[in-house]
Amino acid sequence: MHFGPTFARALIPAALVAAAAPAVAQSSDMAALRSHITSVQTMTANFVQTDARSRSAAGKLQLKRPGKVRFEYGSGDLLLVADGSRLNFIDYQVGQKSSWPLNRTPLGVLLSNSPNLNGRAQIVPSKDPRIVTVRARDPAQYGSVVLAFIKSPSAPGGLQLHGWTAIDAQNKRTTVRLSNVRYNVAVPETAFRFAEPKKRR
């Protein structure tokens, strides 16, 4: 199953422009987003990823701010790992690794301790007042990811991360939905290390 490359590429190459939300609502929701990010130091969850062809893959997510996240697909043959400075995609099945500077990807916004959201994140209007939708992009506008939060008084900053959609250069969407989300639990540093893949001959 090669869903990982689709997701990784979707985080890198495309930028879309969102319509502006009303100023008051945008300001309130942006404040809640900042509060959520600064309140969450670690997070774990299960995820289901669905690509543009409706193919699905499941896995586990571990996050630790600043700058670290691990998506482990299925048996662990596919990994997407941010180690604090770089976002790495590792495919052990074919013996290949791709790598990008983390601060050049939209995930840099989500993984920062004190994110500079100006020009990098924008509230997108939602028909459902219980949902806060945020479009994040890298500084050079090469990548775009749309994050969906559910308003919940018991969640950090009053927001529960539900999932996101990454959009690639061909406007193909890869959607990730989270479940069993847990905040500020123990996450070991070893989660963000990985063995280098061995190239197949």
Side-chain angles (χ1 to χ4, degrees):
M1 292 187 301
H2 289 265
F3 300 100
T6 302
F7 178 45
R9 285 194 293 267
L11 290 174
I12 306 301
L16 298 179
V17 179
V24 174
Q26 186 177 32
S27 176
S28 175
D29 290 342
M30 189 63 75
L33 175 63
R34 292 179 187 275
S35 177
H36 174 88
I37 290 176
T38 56
S39 299
V40 176
Q41 294 305 304
T42 65
M43 185 182 83
T44 63
N46 298 327
F47 70 86
V48 175
Q49 176 184 306
T50 305
D51 69 8
R53 297 172 60 184
S54 298
R55 299 176 301 177
S56 294
K60 295 182 179 180
L61 161 67
Q62 293 174 285
L63 178 152
K64 190 171 188 177
R65 291 194 174 96
K68 297 177 181 178
V69 71
R70 177 188 181 100
F71 297 86
E72 183 171 323
Y73 295 80
S75 62
D77 286 337
L78 298 173
L79 297 176
L80 189 65
V81 180
D83 59 11
S85 60
R86 300 190 69 81
L87 180 64
N88 306 282
F89 173 71
I90 305 98
D91 186 335
Y92 290 111
Q93 294 176 339
V94 299
Q96 185 176 1
K97 181 181 81 170
S98 301
S99 183
W100 307 268
L102 179 61
N103 62 6
R104 302 291 290 179
T105 77
L107 279 182
V109 172
L110 186 63
L111 298 179
S112 173
N113 259 342
S114 302
N116 176 13
L117 301 178
N118 295 333
R120 299 196 66 186
Q122 184 176 21
I123 302 297
V124 180
S126 173
K127 295 180 180 179
D128 189 337
R130 299 169 298 176
I131 304 296
V132 175
T133 306
V134 180
R135 191 185 305 280
R137 58 181 181 268
D138 72 280
Q141 299 187 9
Y142 291 134
S144 179
V145 61
V146 179
L147 303 160
F149 295 87
I150 299 173
K151 293 182 180 179
S152 172
S154 62
L159 296 177
Q160 174 83 16
L161 182 59
H162 178 64
W164 56 85
T165 298
I167 307 167
D168 71 10
Q170 288 75 43
N171 203 32
K172 294 180 180 179
R173 295 168 181 254
T174 301
T175 301
V176 174
R177 291 289 176 262
L178 304 180
S179 62
N180 193 30
V181 179
R182 301 176 65 198
Y183 294 113
N184 296 323
V185 295
V187 175
E189 285 295 322
T190 53
F192 313 106
R193 302 171 189 163
F194 55 88
E196 293 291 330
K198 296 180 180 179
K199 293 185 177 180
R200 295 289 181 90
R201 295 182 179 180

